[in-house]
Amino acid sequence: MAHRKTLEYILESMPEGIVGHDRDRRITYLNRAAEEITGWSRHELLGKECHQAFGAPFCGQHCPFCEGESTFIVNQNYPLNIVTRQGEPKQVSMSVSSITDKKGQIIGHVAILQDITSVVGLKVWEGGDSFPGIVGHDPKLINIFNKIREVSQFDYPVLLMGETGTGKELVAHAIHSESKRASCPLVAVNCGALPEGLAESELFGHVKGAFSGAIRDKKGRFELADTGTLFLDEIAELPKAIQVKLLRVIESGAFERVGGEVPCTVDVRIISATNRDLKREVEKNNFRKDLFYRLNVVPIHLPPLRERKNDIPLLIDHFLQEAGNHGQKIGRFSEKALALLLDYDWPGNIRELRSVIQYALVASKTGFIRPEDLPPEFRMCLTRPIPEQRLNQETVQAALAECGGNKVKAARLLGVSRATLYRFLQSVS
Protein backbone atom coordinates (compact mmCIF):
# COMPACT_ATOMS: atom_id res chain seq x y z
CA MET A 1 0.00 0.00 0.00
CA ALA A 2 2.88 2.36 0.86
CA HIS A 3 4.50 1.65 -2.51
CA ARG A 4 1.24 2.43 -4.30
CA LYS A 5 0.89 5.71 -2.42
CA THR A 6 4.46 6.62 -3.33
CA LEU A 7 3.72 5.86 -7.00
CA GLU A 8 0.69 8.15 -6.87
CA TYR A 9 2.82 10.95 -5.42
CA ILE A 10 5.34 10.45 -8.22
CA LEU A 11 2.68 10.58 -10.95
CA GLU A 12 1.03 13.63 -9.39
CA SER A 13 4.40 15.42 -9.28
CA MET A 14 5.24 14.81 -12.94
CA PRO A 15 5.15 17.88 -15.27
CA GLU A 16 3.78 15.69 -18.07
CA GLY A 17 0.09 14.87 -18.25
CA ILE A 18 -0.75 11.18 -17.74
CA VAL A 19 -4.06 9.77 -18.99
CA GLY A 20 -4.71 6.05 -18.51
CA HIS A 21 -7.30 4.04 -20.47
CA ASP A 22 -8.60 0.50 -20.31
CA ARG A 23 -9.15 -1.69 -23.40
CA ASP A 24 -12.63 -0.19 -23.85
CA ARG A 25 -11.18 3.34 -24.12
CA ARG A 26 -12.56 4.32 -20.72
CA ILE A 27 -10.40 6.80 -18.80
CA THR A 28 -9.04 5.16 -15.67
CA TYR A 29 -6.48 7.68 -14.48
CA LEU A 30 -5.71 11.39 -14.85
CA ASN A 31 -2.92 13.19 -13.03
CA ARG A 32 -2.80 16.85 -11.99
CA ALA A 33 -0.73 17.93 -15.03
CA ALA A 34 -3.28 16.35 -17.38
CA GLU A 35 -6.01 18.36 -15.66
CA GLU A 36 -4.04 21.56 -16.15
CA ILE A 37 -3.23 20.82 -19.81
CA THR A 38 -6.75 19.81 -20.87
CA GLY A 39 -8.78 22.04 -18.56
CA TRP A 40 -10.95 19.06 -17.51
CA SER A 41 -10.97 17.78 -13.94
CA ARG A 42 -10.60 14.09 -13.18
CA HIS A 43 -14.06 13.77 -11.64
CA GLU A 44 -15.50 14.90 -15.00
CA LEU A 45 -13.56 12.31 -17.00
CA LEU A 46 -12.86 9.20 -14.93
CA GLY A 47 -14.86 6.17 -16.01
CA LYS A 48 -16.02 7.79 -19.25
CA GLU A 49 -15.24 6.71 -22.79
CA CYS A 50 -12.44 8.95 -24.08
CA HIS A 51 -14.05 10.36 -27.24
CA GLN A 52 -17.32 10.89 -25.44
CA ALA A 53 -15.63 12.60 -22.49
CA PHE A 54 -13.72 15.09 -24.64
CA GLY A 55 -16.48 15.43 -27.24
CA ALA A 56 -14.11 14.47 -30.09
CA PRO A 57 -10.97 12.37 -30.65
CA PHE A 58 -8.59 14.30 -28.38
CA CYS A 59 -5.71 12.31 -29.86
CA GLY A 60 -6.22 13.68 -33.38
CA GLN A 61 -6.82 10.07 -34.53
CA HIS A 62 -3.29 9.11 -33.35
CA CYS A 63 -3.80 6.31 -30.84
CA PRO A 64 -4.14 2.50 -30.69
CA PHE A 65 -7.93 2.83 -30.53
CA CYS A 66 -8.18 4.94 -33.70
CA GLU A 67 -5.35 3.37 -35.72
CA GLY A 68 -5.52 -0.17 -34.36
CA GLU A 69 -3.18 -1.82 -31.87
CA SER A 70 -1.41 -3.83 -34.56
CA THR A 71 -0.47 -0.82 -36.72
CA PHE A 72 -0.03 1.96 -34.14
CA ILE A 73 3.55 3.02 -33.40
CA VAL A 74 3.97 3.31 -29.63
CA ASN A 75 6.17 5.90 -27.92
CA GLN A 76 6.17 8.18 -30.97
CA ASN A 77 5.54 11.86 -30.32
CA TYR A 78 2.61 13.43 -32.15
CA PRO A 79 2.06 17.21 -32.19
CA LEU A 80 -1.60 18.08 -31.49
CA ASN A 81 -3.57 21.31 -31.63
CA ILE A 82 -6.22 21.17 -28.91
CA VAL A 83 -8.80 23.48 -27.37
CA THR A 84 -9.14 23.22 -23.59
CA ARG A 85 -12.42 23.01 -21.72
CA GLN A 86 -12.18 26.80 -21.25
CA GLY A 87 -11.75 27.39 -25.01
CA GLU A 88 -8.00 28.09 -24.82
CA PRO A 89 -5.99 26.84 -27.83
CA LYS A 90 -2.88 24.84 -26.96
CA GLN A 91 -0.20 22.85 -28.72
CA VAL A 92 0.53 19.50 -27.13
CA SER A 93 3.03 16.74 -27.79
CA MET A 94 1.49 13.29 -27.17
CA SER A 95 2.93 9.81 -27.05
CA VAL A 96 1.07 6.60 -26.21
CA SER A 97 2.37 3.42 -24.58
CA SER A 98 0.64 0.12 -23.94
CA ILE A 99 -0.06 -1.17 -20.43
CA THR A 100 0.64 -4.89 -20.12
CA ASP A 101 0.05 -7.43 -17.36
CA LYS A 102 2.57 -9.98 -16.06
CA LYS A 103 1.83 -12.24 -19.04
CA GLY A 104 2.56 -9.46 -21.50
CA GLN A 105 -1.11 -9.05 -22.46
CA ILE A 106 -2.26 -5.53 -23.27
CA ILE A 107 -4.77 -4.36 -20.67
CA GLY A 108 -4.87 -0.69 -21.60
CA HIS A 109 -2.97 2.32 -22.88
CA VAL A 110 -1.46 5.41 -21.32
CA ALA A 111 -1.14 8.77 -23.09
CA ILE A 112 1.65 11.11 -22.03
CA LEU A 113 0.94 14.79 -22.75
CA GLN A 114 3.38 17.69 -22.76
CA ASP A 115 2.23 21.29 -23.20
CA ILE A 116 4.56 22.77 -25.85
CA THR A 117 2.55 25.94 -26.50
CA SER A 118 5.17 28.21 -24.96
CA VAL A 119 8.00 26.32 -26.68
CA VAL A 120 6.38 26.72 -30.07
CA GLY A 121 5.65 30.32 -29.21
CA LEU A 122 9.33 30.93 -28.44
CA LYS A 123 10.38 29.35 -31.72
CA VAL A 124 7.87 31.41 -33.63
CA TRP A 125 8.39 34.66 -31.78
CA GLU A 126 12.15 34.55 -31.28
CA GLY A 127 13.23 38.12 -31.89
CA GLY A 128 10.76 39.77 -29.50
CA ASP A 129 8.19 41.99 -31.13
CA SER A 130 9.23 41.13 -34.69
CA PHE A 131 5.66 40.57 -35.81
CA PRO A 132 3.55 43.09 -33.92
CA GLY A 133 -0.19 42.66 -34.25
CA ILE A 134 -0.05 39.16 -35.72
CA VAL A 135 -1.65 36.95 -33.08
CA GLY A 136 -2.30 33.21 -33.05
CA HIS A 137 -0.90 29.70 -32.73
CA ASP A 138 -2.86 27.95 -35.48
CA PRO A 139 -0.60 25.75 -37.68
CA LYS A 140 -1.63 27.78 -40.74
CA LEU A 141 -0.41 30.95 -39.03
CA ILE A 142 2.77 29.32 -37.78
CA ASN A 143 3.46 28.39 -41.40
CA ILE A 144 3.06 32.06 -42.29
CA PHE A 145 5.55 33.01 -39.55
CA ASN A 146 8.07 30.56 -40.96
CA LYS A 147 7.61 31.95 -44.47
CA ILE A 148 8.11 35.50 -43.20
CA ARG A 149 11.46 34.54 -41.74
CA GLU A 150 12.47 32.61 -44.86
CA VAL A 151 11.49 35.23 -47.44
CA SER A 152 12.88 38.14 -45.43
CA GLN A 153 16.40 36.90 -46.20
CA PHE A 154 15.91 37.56 -49.92
CA ASP A 155 14.94 40.57 -52.03
CA TYR A 156 12.56 38.65 -54.29
CA PRO A 157 9.04 40.05 -54.87
CA VAL A 158 6.35 38.66 -52.56
CA LEU A 159 2.65 38.42 -53.40
CA LEU A 160 0.32 38.30 -50.38
CA MET A 161 -3.09 36.81 -51.13
CA GLY A 162 -6.08 36.68 -48.83
CA GLU A 163 -9.51 38.03 -48.10
CA THR A 164 -10.06 41.55 -46.82
CA GLY A 165 -9.14 41.87 -43.16
CA THR A 166 -6.74 38.89 -42.93
CA GLY A 167 -3.72 41.03 -42.05
CA LYS A 168 -1.82 41.35 -45.33
CA GLU A 169 -0.32 44.74 -44.41
CA LEU A 170 0.85 43.38 -41.05
CA VAL A 171 2.65 40.55 -42.84
CA ALA A 172 4.25 43.04 -45.24
CA HIS A 173 5.52 45.05 -42.27
CA ALA A 174 6.84 41.86 -40.65
CA ILE A 175 8.76 40.86 -43.80
CA HIS A 176 10.29 44.33 -44.04
CA SER A 177 11.18 44.40 -40.32
CA GLU A 178 12.97 41.05 -40.58
CA SER A 179 14.88 41.97 -43.75
CA LYS A 180 18.22 43.71 -44.25
CA ARG A 181 16.19 46.76 -45.34
CA ALA A 182 14.56 47.15 -41.90
CA SER A 183 16.37 50.44 -41.17
CA CYS A 184 15.20 51.89 -44.51
CA PRO A 185 11.71 53.18 -45.35
CA LEU A 186 8.63 51.03 -45.88
CA VAL A 187 6.23 52.92 -48.12
CA ALA A 188 2.67 51.57 -48.40
CA VAL A 189 0.43 52.40 -51.35
CA ASN A 190 -3.24 51.45 -51.67
CA CYS A 191 -3.54 51.06 -55.43
CA GLY A 192 -7.33 51.10 -55.20
CA ALA A 193 -7.28 54.52 -53.56
CA LEU A 194 -4.95 56.27 -56.01
CA PRO A 195 -6.70 59.31 -57.56
CA GLU A 196 -7.98 58.63 -61.07
CA GLY A 197 -5.58 60.09 -63.63
CA LEU A 198 -2.87 60.69 -61.02
CA ALA A 199 -1.81 57.10 -60.32
CA GLU A 200 1.30 57.40 -62.47
CA SER A 201 2.35 60.65 -60.75
CA GLU A 202 1.74 59.16 -57.29
CA LEU A 203 3.93 56.15 -58.01
CA PHE A 204 6.67 57.64 -60.19
CA GLY A 205 6.53 61.37 -59.42
CA HIS A 206 6.41 64.28 -61.85
CA VAL A 207 8.41 67.29 -62.94
CA LYS A 208 7.31 70.89 -62.72
CA GLY A 209 4.86 71.76 -65.50
CA ALA A 210 4.09 68.14 -66.41
CA PHE A 211 0.38 68.87 -66.13
CA SER A 212 -1.96 71.51 -64.78
CA GLY A 213 -1.26 71.91 -61.07
CA ALA A 214 2.29 70.50 -61.23
CA ILE A 215 3.87 73.63 -59.77
CA ARG A 216 7.06 71.87 -58.63
CA ASP A 217 8.98 68.65 -58.97
CA LYS A 218 7.59 65.84 -56.84
CA LYS A 219 9.03 62.48 -55.86
CA GLY A 220 6.81 59.44 -56.31
CA ARG A 221 6.41 56.49 -53.98
CA PHE A 222 9.20 54.55 -55.68
CA GLU A 223 11.75 57.28 -54.95
CA LEU A 224 10.46 57.66 -51.39
CA ALA A 225 10.97 53.90 -50.88
CA ASP A 226 14.49 53.87 -52.35
CA THR A 227 16.74 51.35 -50.50
CA GLY A 228 13.65 50.14 -48.64
CA THR A 229 10.40 48.31 -49.38
CA LEU A 230 7.37 49.36 -51.42
CA PHE A 231 4.11 47.70 -50.39
CA LEU A 232 1.54 47.78 -53.19
CA ASP A 233 -1.81 46.89 -51.62
CA GLU A 234 -4.82 46.02 -53.82
CA ILE A 235 -2.45 45.54 -56.75
CA ALA A 236 -5.29 44.18 -58.93
CA GLU A 237 -6.81 47.71 -59.00
CA LEU A 238 -3.79 49.17 -60.82
CA PRO A 239 -4.70 50.51 -64.30
CA LYS A 240 -3.31 48.51 -67.24
CA ALA A 241 -1.28 51.49 -68.48
CA ILE A 242 0.50 51.74 -65.11
CA GLN A 243 1.08 47.99 -65.05
CA VAL A 244 3.39 48.36 -68.07
CA LYS A 245 5.55 50.94 -66.33
CA LEU A 246 5.59 48.94 -63.09
CA LEU A 247 6.86 45.91 -64.97
CA ARG A 248 9.73 47.94 -66.38
CA VAL A 249 10.71 49.22 -62.93
CA ILE A 250 10.74 45.70 -61.49
CA GLU A 251 12.90 44.45 -64.34
CA SER A 252 15.35 47.36 -64.63
CA GLY A 253 14.93 49.49 -61.51
CA ALA A 254 14.60 52.56 -63.77
CA PHE A 255 11.77 54.91 -64.76
CA GLU A 256 11.05 58.53 -65.72
CA ARG A 257 8.93 60.93 -63.77
CA VAL A 258 5.76 62.09 -65.50
CA GLY A 259 6.82 64.81 -67.96
CA GLY A 260 10.48 64.06 -67.38
CA GLU A 261 13.20 62.68 -69.65
CA VAL A 262 15.95 61.92 -67.16
CA PRO A 263 15.86 58.27 -65.95
CA CYS A 264 15.55 57.71 -62.20
CA THR A 265 17.12 54.63 -60.69
CA VAL A 266 15.91 53.05 -57.45
CA ASP A 267 16.72 50.02 -55.31
CA VAL A 268 13.35 48.84 -54.00
CA ARG A 269 12.00 45.55 -52.75
CA ILE A 270 8.41 44.95 -53.94
CA ILE A 271 5.70 43.37 -51.77
CA SER A 272 2.23 43.35 -53.29
CA ALA A 273 -1.12 42.19 -51.98
CA THR A 274 -4.57 41.39 -53.32
CA ASN A 275 -7.90 39.99 -52.19
CA ARG A 276 -8.67 38.88 -55.73
CA ASP A 277 -7.68 35.82 -57.73
CA LEU A 278 -4.94 37.36 -59.88
CA LYS A 279 -4.81 34.32 -62.17
CA ARG A 280 -8.49 34.86 -62.91
CA GLU A 281 -7.82 38.56 -63.52
CA VAL A 282 -5.11 37.57 -66.00
CA GLU A 283 -7.56 35.24 -67.79
CA LYS A 284 -10.09 38.08 -67.94
CA ASN A 285 -7.40 40.32 -69.45
CA ASN A 286 -7.64 42.73 -66.51
CA PHE A 287 -4.07 42.08 -65.35
CA ARG A 288 -0.89 41.57 -67.37
CA LYS A 289 0.39 38.01 -67.37
CA ASP A 290 4.06 39.09 -67.49
CA LEU A 291 3.57 41.38 -64.49
CA PHE A 292 1.79 38.62 -62.58
CA TYR A 293 4.76 36.30 -63.01
CA ARG A 294 7.18 38.99 -61.83
CA LEU A 295 5.12 39.76 -58.72
CA ASN A 296 4.25 36.14 -57.88
CA VAL A 297 7.82 34.98 -57.20
CA VAL A 298 7.04 34.10 -53.57
CA PRO A 299 3.27 33.72 -53.04
CA ILE A 300 1.92 33.69 -49.47
CA HIS A 301 -1.73 32.88 -48.82
CA LEU A 302 -3.25 34.25 -45.61
CA PRO A 303 -6.05 32.03 -44.27
CA PRO A 304 -9.42 33.57 -43.40
CA LEU A 305 -10.38 33.69 -39.73
CA ARG A 306 -13.06 31.01 -40.18
CA GLU A 307 -10.24 28.54 -40.98
CA ARG A 308 -8.37 29.26 -37.74
CA LYS A 309 -11.11 29.75 -35.16
CA ASN A 310 -8.89 28.36 -32.41
CA ASP A 311 -7.10 31.72 -32.54
CA ILE A 312 -10.27 33.70 -31.77
CA PRO A 313 -9.83 33.57 -27.94
CA LEU A 314 -6.23 34.78 -28.36
CA LEU A 315 -7.32 37.58 -30.68
CA ILE A 316 -10.06 38.61 -28.25
CA ASP A 317 -7.54 38.83 -25.41
CA HIS A 318 -5.21 40.82 -27.68
CA PHE A 319 -7.88 43.36 -28.63
CA LEU A 320 -9.13 43.66 -25.05
CA GLN A 321 -5.58 44.32 -23.88
CA GLU A 322 -5.16 46.80 -26.70
CA ALA A 323 -8.26 48.64 -25.46
CA GLY A 324 -6.87 48.64 -21.93
CA ASN A 325 -3.58 50.11 -23.16
CA HIS A 326 -5.57 53.02 -24.57
CA GLY A 327 -7.20 53.71 -21.23
CA GLN A 328 -10.49 51.97 -22.05
CA LYS A 329 -12.24 49.44 -19.87
CA ILE A 330 -11.21 45.81 -20.31
CA GLY A 331 -14.27 43.61 -20.66
CA ARG A 332 -14.82 39.89 -20.24
CA PHE A 333 -16.92 37.72 -22.53
CA SER A 334 -19.59 35.40 -21.18
CA GLU A 335 -19.54 31.77 -22.29
CA LYS A 336 -22.60 32.32 -24.49
CA ALA A 337 -21.13 35.42 -26.15
CA LEU A 338 -17.85 33.62 -26.81
CA ALA A 339 -19.76 30.67 -28.29
CA LEU A 340 -21.47 33.03 -30.74
CA LEU A 341 -18.13 34.51 -31.77
CA LEU A 342 -16.72 31.02 -32.34
CA ASP A 343 -19.79 30.01 -34.33
CA TYR A 344 -19.70 33.03 -36.64
CA ASP A 345 -18.11 32.79 -40.13
CA TRP A 346 -16.35 36.19 -40.02
CA PRO A 347 -16.63 37.40 -43.63
CA GLY A 348 -14.70 40.53 -42.59
CA ASN A 349 -12.07 38.42 -40.82
CA ILE A 350 -9.84 39.92 -38.10
CA ARG A 351 -10.82 43.48 -38.95
CA GLU A 352 -14.47 42.58 -38.34
CA LEU A 353 -13.63 40.80 -35.07
CA ARG A 354 -11.86 43.91 -33.81
CA SER A 355 -14.89 46.07 -34.66
CA VAL A 356 -17.25 43.63 -32.91
CA ILE A 357 -15.15 43.72 -29.74
CA GLN A 358 -15.05 47.51 -29.79
CA TYR A 359 -18.85 47.59 -30.27
CA ALA A 360 -19.32 45.17 -27.36
CA LEU A 361 -17.12 47.24 -25.05
CA VAL A 362 -19.27 50.28 -25.78
CA ALA A 363 -22.58 48.39 -25.46
CA SER A 364 -21.67 46.59 -22.24
CA LYS A 365 -22.60 48.54 -19.14
CA THR A 366 -20.78 46.32 -16.66
CA GLY A 367 -17.79 45.09 -18.66
CA PHE A 368 -19.24 41.55 -18.65
CA ILE A 369 -20.13 41.07 -22.30
CA ARG A 370 -23.28 39.05 -23.00
CA PRO A 371 -24.88 38.04 -26.34
CA GLU A 372 -27.17 41.07 -26.25
CA ASP A 373 -24.09 43.33 -26.12
CA LEU A 374 -22.95 42.07 -29.53
CA PRO A 375 -23.90 43.74 -32.84
CA PRO A 376 -27.35 43.04 -34.39
CA GLU A 377 -26.16 40.26 -36.71
CA PHE A 378 -25.19 38.21 -33.66
CA ARG A 379 -28.51 38.83 -31.94
CA MET A 380 -30.16 37.57 -35.13
CA CYS A 381 -28.11 34.38 -34.77
CA LEU A 382 -29.74 33.83 -31.38
CA THR A 383 -33.19 33.68 -32.97
CA ARG A 384 -32.19 31.67 -36.03
CA PRO A 385 -34.44 28.57 -36.36
CA ILE A 386 -33.00 25.29 -35.12
CA PRO A 387 -33.32 22.23 -37.40
CA GLU A 388 -35.89 20.00 -35.67
CA GLN A 389 -34.31 16.81 -36.98
CA ARG A 390 -31.04 17.57 -35.17
CA LEU A 391 -32.21 18.71 -31.77
CA ASN A 392 -35.17 17.98 -29.55
CA GLN A 393 -35.72 18.24 -25.83
CA GLU A 394 -35.19 14.53 -25.18
CA THR A 395 -31.83 14.29 -26.97
CA VAL A 396 -30.60 17.56 -25.50
CA GLN A 397 -31.57 16.58 -21.94
CA ALA A 398 -29.93 13.19 -22.40
CA ALA A 399 -26.73 14.82 -23.68
CA LEU A 400 -26.65 17.30 -20.81
CA ALA A 401 -27.16 14.49 -18.29
CA GLU A 402 -24.41 12.43 -19.94
CA CYS A 403 -22.03 15.42 -19.78
CA GLY A 404 -22.88 16.41 -16.22
CA GLY A 405 -24.61 19.60 -17.35
CA ASN A 406 -21.57 20.82 -19.31
CA LYS A 407 -23.05 22.58 -22.35
CA VAL A 408 -19.77 22.71 -24.26
CA LYS A 409 -19.32 18.93 -24.10
CA ALA A 410 -23.03 18.35 -24.72
CA ALA A 411 -22.82 20.38 -27.94
CA ARG A 412 -19.88 18.27 -29.08
CA LEU A 413 -21.75 15.09 -28.24
CA LEU A 414 -24.78 16.29 -30.23
CA GLY A 415 -22.61 17.31 -33.18
CA VAL A 416 -23.69 20.97 -33.12
CA SER A 417 -21.95 24.21 -32.27
CA ARG A 418 -22.20 25.70 -28.79
CA ALA A 419 -24.14 28.65 -30.15
CA THR A 420 -26.68 26.31 -31.77
CA LEU A 421 -27.23 24.51 -28.47
CA TYR A 422 -27.60 27.80 -26.60
CA ARG A 423 -30.16 29.02 -29.14
CA PHE A 424 -32.16 25.81 -28.76
CA LEU A 425 -32.15 25.98 -24.96
CA GLN A 426 -33.27 29.60 -25.12
CA SER A 427 -36.07 28.73 -27.54
CA VAL A 428 -37.52 26.06 -25.24
CA SER A 429 -37.02 27.88 -21.94
Side-chain angles (χ1 to χ4, degrees), residues 79-341:
L80 303 177
N81 291 289
I82 70 168
V83 178
T84 69
R85 186 183 187 281
Q86 293 75 27
E88 178 188 1
K90 284 187 177 181
Q91 295 211 329
V92 173
S93 175
M94 182 195 76
S95 63
V96 179
S97 300
S98 298
I99 304 172
T100 57
D101 60 16
K102 293 180 180 180
K103 298 180 181 179
Q105 299 294 316
I106 296 176
I107 59 174
H109 301 281
V110 58
I112 302 172
L113 310 175
Q114 185 177 9
D115 186 353
I116 59 173
T117 306
S118 59
V119 177
V120 172
L122 285 173
K123 290 180 179 177
V124 171
W125 292 98
E126 62 182 16
D129 294 327
S130 298
F131 309 148
I134 308 178
V135 177
H137 287 309
D138 186 273
K140 295 185 182 70
L141 197 62
I142 290 175
N143 186 42
I144 299 295
F145 292 152
N146 292 333
K147 286 186 177 180
I148 288 172
R149 295 197 182 281
E150 292 167 2
V151 76
S152 64
Q153 306 308 309
F154 300 88
D155 268 344
Y156 301 138
V158 176
L159 177 61
L160 305 175
M161 296 169 287
E163 297 176 8
T164 298
T166 50
K168 296 184 288 295
E169 186 166 357
L170 289 173
V171 172
H173 277 268
I175 293 172
H176 173 75
S177 298
E178 289 292 304
S179 74
K180 62 184 180 182
R181 299 175 182 265
S183 60
C184 301
L186 168 65
V187 177
V189 182
N190 187 324
C191 298
L194 291 174
E196 188 175 354
L198 295 178
E200 185 177 8
S201 171
E202 287 291 325
L203 288 174
F204 306 108
H206 62 255
V207 298
K208 181 180 178 180
F211 50 84
S212 177
I215 58 176
R216 59 179 176 80
D217 291 354
K218 178 187 175 183
K219 289 183 178 182
R221 305 299 177 87
F222 268 93
E223 286 182 88
L224 294 174
D226 191 23
T227 70
T229 302
L230 182 64
F231 174 51
L232 298 173
D233 199 6
E234 296 188 33
I235 188 69
E237 306 299 327
L238 208 59
K240 288 284 289 278
I242 309 301
Q243 294 178 25
V244 178
K245 197 164 184 177
L246 176 58
L247 178 64
R248 181 191 168 203
V249 180
I250 294 175
E251 292 182 337
S252 66
F255 61 93
E256 294 84 32
R257 292 179 179 177
V258 176
E261 297 178 350
V262 180
C264 300
T265 303
V266 292
D267 172 23
V268 172
R269 198 256 180 90
I270 302 290
I271 301 176
S272 53
T274 181
N275 57 12
R276 295 194 190 182
D277 184 342
L278 271 194
K279 286 186 179 179
R280 180 69 59 85
E281 295 301 310
V282 169
E283 293 170 359
K284 292 161 61 177
N285 201 33
N286 293 331
F287 201 83
R288 292 182 63 94
K289 182 186 292 186
D290 46 8
L291 178 59
F292 169 71
Y293 289 131
R294 290 310 303 264
L295 295 174
N296 194 43
V297 176
V298 183
I300 298 179
H301 176 74
L302 276 66
L305 185 55
R306 63 180 173 275
E307 292 182 6
R308 57 182 191 99
K309 287 190 174 182
N310 282 353
D311 283 341
I312 288 177
L314 291 175
L315 286 162
I316 291 173
D317 288 343
H318 171 73
F319 291 134
L320 290 176
Q321 187 61 50
E322 185 178 71
N325 292 340
H326 287 86
Q328 301 166 12
K329 64 182 179 182
I330 299 180
R332 185 167 63 89
F333 280 79
S334 70
E335 191 175 348
K336 288 184 179 180
L338 179 59
L340 286 174
L341 298 184

Side-chain angles (χ1 to χ4, degrees), residues 37-57:
I37 291 172
T38 65
W40 272 273
S41 64
R42 63 190 75 190
H43 77 267
E44 293 178 294
L45 299 180
L46 289 178
K48 295 184 179 179
E49 195 268 348
C50 184
H51 289 193
Q52 189 179 76
F54 288 111

Side-chain angles (χ1 to χ4, degrees), residues 385-427:
I386 308 295
E388 289 296 329
Q389 67 273 21
R390 297 194 66 179
L391 295 179
N392 57 60
Q393 283 187 279
E394 288 185 7
T395 57
V396 168
Q397 291 300 326
L400 287 170
E402 179 69 25
C403 299
N406 186 303
K407 296 184 181 67
V408 175
K409 290 196 288 184
R412 290 191 184 128
L413 185 61
L414 291 164
V416 299
S417 70
R418 283 175 281 186
T420 299
L421 178 58
Y422 286 134
R423 291 197 303 270
F424 177 84
L425 290 173
Q426 190 175 59
S427 69

Side-chain angles (χ1 to χ4, degrees), residues 339-358:
L340 286 174
L341 298 184
L342 291 170
D343 194 42
Y344 188 60
D345 279 340
W346 298 106
N349 294 292
I350 300 169
R351 186 177 292 129
E352 184 183 10
L353 174 62
R354 180 188 225 151
S355 297
V356 166
I357 291 171
Q358 291 172 344

